[in-house]
Amino acid sequence: MPPVDVAATVIANARLSRDYSVLSLAAPEVGRQTKPGQFVMVKPAGVTDPLLRRPFSVFEVLRNGHGDITGVSLLNKRAGRSTRNLYELEEGDVVSCLGPLGVPFTPVAAPMEGWMVAGGVGLAPFATLAESLAASRTPATLFYGARTAGELFHLEFFERLGITLVLSTEDGGHSLNRHCVKGRVTAPLEAALKALGPEGAMVYACGPEPMLEAVAKLAGKYQQPSQVSVERVMGCGLGGCYSCVVPVKHGDEHANLVRSCISGPVFDGAELVWE
């Protein structure tokens, strides 16, 4: 189905910290079509600086007490003008929201496991993927890394779904009595890959591009497939501006530049050409 463009009212804007928030939007038309890993292009209504919308992975598909889809939420980190505008929104404000857009993740099924690797706001596409894996009773693990324990969010959400958590922080701090490994998230991932049984695992990743490259190469080293969600600047989200190209090759073919907004943002990790 084609994406829809809606004027979505802000249901809530939960500030998780001085920089992070979860923005909930009344956009049932978008939520009903969203698949794990897809994104939306958003901008507060009436804002002209910056002029263009900004891409955000759909964090949650929101439902009411009867299970009816009521909208979507976005995990936002205040880092520039666009994200500051979103952080400052209040209930009742209006956001221009276009979506869902892009190629989603392909969920695997048991006995294969689903391993999600998130760096910082790279957590965003994994709430919907975790729900999908839990619904099919696929064993799933979230490898989640951040700078500090205070930047590890929504852990209870994943625990309620039965997702195993493997946490890592740069400072080695613990999060709400949960053990955190000090260092990069790729260290516990590699340890788990070494011990992986014959059932195998699909490795999903979202976060900074150096992390994506490391994860894809680790998955390949241990002969496991991977799907990575790239974070590129997108001017339009519809393939018209060519601002988000990434090099991709199939097998021994020469690399081709493709637009991540329409050919991605989810790619086979083995097919991306890392620059």
Side-chain angles (χ1 to χ4, degrees), residues 6 9 32 34-35 54 75 89 92-93 120 144 153 156 177 182 185 188 194 232 236 257 260:
V6 299
T9 301
R32 282 192 289 268
T34 296
K35 297 180 180 178
R54 181 182 173 92
L75 178 61
L89 290 174
D93 289 336
Y144 183 14
F153 302 115
E156 296 84 357
N177 299 319
K182 184 177 182 179
V185 70
K194 288 180 180 179
R232 290 293 174 99
C236 68
L257 292 176
S260 61

Side-chain angles (χ1 to χ4, degrees), residues 10 30 54 123 167 196 232 265:
V10 175
V30 176
R54 181 182 173 92
L123 180 71
L167 309 176
L196 182 62
R232 290 293 174 99

Side-chain angles (χ1 to χ4, degrees), residues 245-259 267 270-275:
V245 295
V246 294
V248 175
K249 66 177 181 179
H250 303 285
D252 295 328
E253 297 178 6
H254 293 295
N256 294 311
L257 292 176
V258 301
R259 290 161 288 180
F267 293 93
E271 294 185 346
L272 279 173
V273 178
W274 303 102
E275 299 174 314

Side-chain angles (χ1 to χ4, degrees), residues 12-193:
N13 195 6
R15 275 78 174 191
L16 306 178
S17 71
R18 60 179 294 180
D19 292 318
Y20 288 83
S21 68
V22 174
L23 180 66
S24 298
L25 302 175
E29 310 95 325
V30 176
R32 282 192 289 268
Q33 296 185 39
T34 296
K35 297 180 180 178
Q38 290 189 298
F39 68 96
V40 292
M41 300 290 293
V42 298
K43 186 182 74 167
V47 170
T48 57
D49 184 19
L51 180 63
L52 299 177
R53 306 192 208 199
R54 181 182 173 92
F56 281 84
S57 294
V58 172
F59 184 42
E60 300 161 293
V61 173
L62 304 175
R63 295 174 174 83
N64 61 20
H66 301 289
D68 302 318
I69 292 176
T70 58
V72 296
S73 73
L74 313 175
L75 178 61
N76 176 49
K77 180 182 179 181
R78 180 168 54 175
R81 186 178 293 111
S82 294
T83 50
R84 184 175 66 247
N85 289 340
L86 293 175
Y87 185 91
E88 293 173 352
L89 290 174
E90 300 291 348
E91 181 179 350
D93 289 336
V94 176
V95 174
S96 299
C97 179
L98 172 67
L101 299 163
V103 175
F105 289 118
T106 301
V108 295
M112 196 173 194
E113 298 188 23
W115 290 5
M116 299 166 283
V117 187
V121 289
L123 180 71
F126 292 136
T128 52
L129 179 59
E131 287 183 324
S132 177
L133 294 171
S136 66
R137 299 187 178 182
T138 302
T141 299
L142 173 65
F143 298 84
Y144 183 14
R147 291 182 303 167
T148 68
E151 294 181 350
L152 295 170
F153 302 115
H154 281 251
L155 304 182
E156 296 84 357
F157 172 89
F158 291 94
E159 288 177 325
R160 286 196 300 270
L161 292 173
I163 309 298
T164 300
L165 298 181
V166 179
L167 309 176
S168 61
T169 58
E170 293 179 12
D171 64 358
H174 289 191
S175 177
L176 299 175
N177 299 319
R178 295 176 179 85
H179 176 68
C180 297
V181 176
K182 184 177 182 179
R184 296 178 178 175
V185 70
T186 48
L189 173 65
E190 182 166 19
L193 284 167

Side-chain angles (χ1 to χ4, degrees), residues 213-228:
E213 178 179 1
V215 169
K217 289 181 176 179
L218 278 175
K221 177 181 177 180
Y222 293 96
Q223 300 182 315
Q224 300 302 316
S226 64
Q227 298 177 36
V228 300

Side-chain angles (χ1 to χ4, degrees), residues 187-211:
L189 173 65
E190 182 166 19
L193 284 167
K194 288 180 180 179
L196 182 62
E199 69 280 353
M202 174 64 76
V203 181
Y204 305 94
C206 185
E209 194 154 303
M211 187 203 84

